[in-house]
Amino acid sequence: MCGIVGYAGRRPGKPIILQGLRRLEYRGYDSAGLVLMEDGGPATVRALGNLDRLVAAAGDDPSPARVGLGHTRWATHGRPSEDNAHPHHDCTGRVSIVLNGIIENYKDLRTELVDAGHSFTSETDAEVVAHLIEERAADGLPAAVRATVHRLEGHFAFCAVSADEPDIIVGTRHEAPLVVGVGEGEMFIASAIPAFLSETRRIVVLDDGDVVTVDAAGASFSDIDGNALEREVSEVTWDADAAEKGGYETFMLKEIYEQPQALADTLAGRLTRAGEVDLSEMGLGDDELRRLRRVFIVACGTSYHAGLIASYAIEELARVPVQIDVASEFRYRAPVLDAETLVIGISQSGETADTLAAIRLAREAGSPVLALTNIMGSQATREADAVLYTRAGLEIGVAATKTHVAQVAALLLFTLALAHARGTLADDERLRIGRELHDVPRLVQRLLDAQGDDGHDGVRRVAERYHDERFFLYLGRNMGFGVCLEGALKLKEISYIPTEAYAAGEMKHGPIALLDEGSPVVVVATDSPVFPKLVSNIEEVRARGADVIAVASEGNTEIAELSEDVLWVPASDPRVASMLAVVPLQLLAYHIARIKGFNVDQPRNLAKTVTVE
Ligand code: F6R
């Protein structure tokens, strides 16, 4: 996740901005930069890699500048590089901006600006903002920022400075955070409170559409049309640790709550509201997609579950046969591969040793490889022929949550693109599913809001009831099978309770022997064509006296009578339901582990990235 830090005051800004960037390091970044408003004009330093490199590039010279901006970048558009690091400038070098988020219409804006004579120095979506401000520079910075916001689509927060008004910073937000810190004779502006928590606890949280102008004396607020606004100052009571977690008790809970954002970012610019998909960035053209005769998915752990979920959609919607295997098996089993088999390697880190080995093996066998990863520039991206990024931001909790739903969303985009290229789906059905997918960030948000602000209602009650159980069985069918595997993995890895996850139809072939009076059985039973089959499985479970905890779609009247507990999710298309149904299962595992007193961010024996063979 990118980080913004700004300072306007009486002290030299450089060390304060660098310290602020350090406080945002935990959010992850691949490059960093700052701009200081020196007497001779803006002085910019940027560096690829960690902040030590930026500090080295900035040198030891104390800068007298009392206004400046800093940024840590997590690449989404344009690879990590010094040129793509922020701040970005207009053509004159007088305007500098730092931006978090995504400008969805940047391609059109860039074309328009280039036609008007602007020259660009980066591959980013963000740079258009500096040039749009330049277009209106004569109006003054606050008005130019407001005019710019009118041109932008997407979700973003940015701050701008100009050599023509070197004492002010202008910031704005639209569906991405921006906070003002109020000091004595100095002001701070940042994307997250930890950036300035050591300097002041008095803050103003901007609303969407707010434009703020800060200087050493204070802040003034307006809407994007220039109408003045009043904004209240509040006091932060969090300590630094809580601030890093955004007020959540753990990174894992914070990341569960970041899932709507991770989904929105992953879909942004790739899926229109009308349901049309554009994955031209991926590096696989329609002709290549049409020529495919098979897809082979390889991955480990949670990424494997995302692949398994998607495999059902690919076969059903794009009518391409799909094989899937865990990477550690695939690489040692002499798989049959050819040039017409697309191998999709899924790895949020892009560094998992078994998945990388599987990717190499596939390429050696002559198969094209598509890497699906969350990390720009990771090893998987260097070894693959084509790359598709999830844009979930850095995941700190060891248990994967937001990267998982982002993987499923990206794979569904891929599925729709494949179905379109191959003409396997009627246009109205393809667009309908696309529209439902477009809605998934909102539906996940609604689901999370229903849990209560602190995530302690609803699912928590179920967790309290069952946290002492010694074994959980998870059942699902079709895409819900992948979801139940993922729910079971979450529970075992953070609460150390043994779990089994089975395709529900397999239960009677063995695992049913495990069931007893009161055994908890989690059934993923969201609305889908296999729902009646799941009802039969639930009956089988109940006949053994076991307790059914169902994950079901709101409005399903049948399920409540068949289950001890129901974890409701918004009703949706069955493919979209896979991203909704996993959320209560993540929360169930989370609450059980917390009730038992475990450190969910750092479970025993596990590492975030498994680089050993
Ligand atoms: C489980 C989990 C792991 C990872 C697996 C693959 O919560 O995080 O199972 O999914 O180690 O990691 P990546 O996706 O980085 O290849």
Side-chain angles (χ1 to χ4, degrees):
M1 290 285 205
C2 302
I4 292 174
V5 182
Y7 176 77
R10 299 190 194 124
R11 293 187 280 163
K14 183 174 158 186
I16 298 168
I17 292 166
L18 285 171
Q19 172 184 276
L21 292 178
R22 285 247 180 256
R23 299 258 151 79
L24 297 183
E25 266 193 306
Y26 72 96
R27 298 163 65 86
Y29 64 103
D30 48 55
S31 52
L34 56 83
V35 57
L36 298 167
M37 304 308 281
E38 311 268 9
D39 287 343
T44 301
V45 189
R46 295 182 294 191
L48 180 62
N50 65 21
L51 279 180
D52 290 342
R53 297 222 189 144
L54 180 67
V55 171
D60 294 334
D61 289 349
S63 161
R66 286 167 166 71
V67 175
L69 294 172
H71 191 260
T72 45
R73 174 172 188 253
W74 173 275
T76 57
H77 290 71
R79 73 212 137 81
S81 72
E82 202 174 304
D83 283 344
N84 288 336
H86 301 210
H88 291 294
H89 304 289
D90 68 341
C91 298
T92 67
R94 296 184 73 72
V95 174
S96 306
I97 67 102
V98 292
L99 179 140
N100 287 1
I102 289 168
I103 307 297
E104 289 187 26
N105 58 337
Y106 81 100
K107 282 189 195 143
D108 292 346
L109 291 171
R110 191 169 168 131
T111 307
E112 175 192 317
L113 288 159
V114 168
D115 289 349
H118 291 262
S119 51
F120 281 72
T121 56
S122 79
E123 304 158 339
T124 64
D125 54 337
E127 193 183 339
V128 294
V129 171
H131 295 278
L132 286 170
I133 293 173
E134 179 187 2
E135 288 276 301
R136 301 293 293 261
D139 301 342
L141 190 58
V145 165
R146 290 195 296 267
T148 296
V149 175
H150 277 288
R151 300 295 318 280
L152 303 177
E153 288 167 22
H155 45 276
F156 52 81
F158 70 84
C159 289
V161 288
S162 165
D164 298 326
E165 293 154 275
D167 297 331
I168 64 170
I169 300 171
V170 181
T172 186
R173 63 163 277 179
H174 180 71
E175 295 173 10
L178 199 64
V179 197
V180 171
V182 181
E184 294 296 328
E186 58 186 3
M187 300 293 287
F188 307 83
I189 188 160
S191 52
I193 297 166
F196 53 69
L197 197 61
S198 59
E199 305 294 333
T200 181
R201 293 184 159 271
R202 302 177 65 223
I203 66 158
V204 182
V205 179
L206 266 64
D207 283 346
D208 278 345
D210 283 5
V211 178
V212 61
T213 302
V214 301
D215 61 15
S220 59
F221 300 87
S222 77
D223 63 18
I224 53 170
D225 296 318
N227 302 306
L229 297 169
E230 292 293 324
R231 290 285 175 253
E232 277 187 20
V233 177
S234 55
E235 195 89 20
V236 187
T237 51
W238 301 336
D239 60 18
D241 183 49
E244 279 193 354
K245 294 176 186 136
Y248 292 101
E249 58 189 12
T250 63
F251 280 113
M252 183 178 171
L253 191 61
K254 174 170 174 275
E255 286 158 2
I256 289 173
Y257 274 74
E258 282 171 354
Q259 291 184 114
Q261 190 69 50
L263 287 164
D265 285 352
T266 298
L267 299 175
R270 297 165 166 175
L271 178 64
T272 65
R273 201 174 291 276
E276 202 71 71
V277 173
D278 176 2
L279 281 187
S280 45
E281 62 179 273
M282 180 171 66
L284 281 175
D286 280 359
D287 282 348
E288 284 159 291
L289 295 179
R290 268 191 287 273
R291 274 199 299 273
L292 293 180
R293 293 167 67 89
R294 190 169 56 135
V295 168
F296 208 135
I297 298 175
V298 287
C300 303
T302 289
S303 296
Y304 170 81
H305 298 154
L308 183 62
I309 292 166
S311 69
Y312 288 87
I314 296 172
E315 288 203 333
E316 185 194 348
L317 304 178
R319 307 304 297 149
V320 184
V322 184
Q323 264 179 284
I324 171 159
D325 204 351
V326 288
S328 55
E329 283 298 308
F330 174 90
R331 60 181 291 204
Y332 297 118
R333 63 174 260 204
V336 180
L337 296 167
D338 54 40
E340 288 161 337
T341 299
L342 176 70
V343 173
I344 306 182
I346 311 173
S347 171
Q348 77 79 22
S349 63
E351 304 289 349
T352 298
D354 283 320
T355 308
L356 291 177
I359 287 175
R360 273 175 221 135
L361 187 149
R363 287 200 74 198
E364 278 158 26
S367 290
V369 173
L370 169 67
L372 176 61
T373 181
N374 198 41
I375 311 286
M376 277 214 172
S378 58
Q379 192 59 28
T381 67
R382 291 198 283 271
E383 307 227 4
D385 301 284
V387 182
L388 182 57
Y389 290 102
T390 48
R391 302 185 190 129
L394 182 72
E395 191 172 62
I396 296 173
V398 166
T401 52
K402 62 177 180 171
T403 54
H404 170 77
V405 292
Q407 286 169 340
V408 176
L411 287 165
L412 288 180
L413 286 176
F414 170 80
T415 304
L416 292 174
L418 190 63
H420 189 33
R422 299 172 75 89
T424 50
L425 202 53
D427 278 352
D428 52 354
E429 177 65 352
R430 181 173 54 77
L431 293 172
R432 185 192 64 74
I433 297 170
R435 284 194 299 274
E436 296 239 7
L437 183 55
H438 191 273
D439 208 24
V440 75
R442 188 185 66 80
L443 296 181
V444 174
Q445 188 64 61
R446 184 148 78 72
L447 171 54
L448 289 168
D449 289 346
Q451 301 298 319
D453 285 347
D454 57 358
H456 279 224
D457 291 347
V459 186
R460 165 96 185 196
R461 275 195 293 277
V462 178
E464 271 161 5
R465 183 155 158 196
Y466 294 102
H467 72 274
D468 268 337
E469 295 293 338
R470 295 162 67 89
F471 169 75
F472 279 69
L473 179 65
Y474 285 68
L475 300 173
R477 283 174 180 259
N478 203 277
M479 295 175 90
F481 174 42
V483 175
C484 85
L485 282 168
E486 177 57 10
L489 175 64
K490 288 288 93 93
L491 186 63
K492 69 168 74 106
E493 71 178 329
I494 62 172
S495 75
Y496 318 122
I497 298 175
T499 62
E500 280 276 20
Y502 261 85
E506 270 292 290
M507 186 186 53
K508 54 186 167 298
H509 300 291
I512 199 163
L514 292 166
L515 298 185
D516 207 346
E517 199 66 36
S519 307
V521 180
V522 178
V523 185
V524 178
T526 45
D527 290 353
S528 84
V530 292
F531 179 76
K533 294 279 162 206
L534 281 157
V535 170
S536 310
N537 299 129
I538 290 174
E539 299 286 12
E540 288 162 356
V541 167
R542 287 168 61 83
R544 271 79 198 169
D547 283 359
V548 172
I549 304 161
V551 179
S553 307
E554 283 165 6
N556 183 325
T557 47
E558 200 176 344
I559 199 81
E561 287 173 16
L562 294 169
S563 317
E564 268 60 42
D565 295 279
V566 184
L567 306 175
W568 296 107
V569 301
S572 67
D573 177 88
R575 296 88 183 179
V576 169
S578 62
M579 284 166 282
L580 298 167
V582 78
V583 177
L585 299 188
Q586 295 165 341
L587 286 167
L588 182 65
Y590 179 82
H591 292 309
I592 289 179
R594 293 298 289 165
I595 293 167
K596 290 167 115 37
F598 294 128
N599 175 352
V600 297
D601 286 338
Q602 235 355 298
R604 68 186 181 211
N605 304 336
L606 290 173
K608 184 71 190 159
T609 306
V610 183
T611 52
V612 287
E613 306 247 331

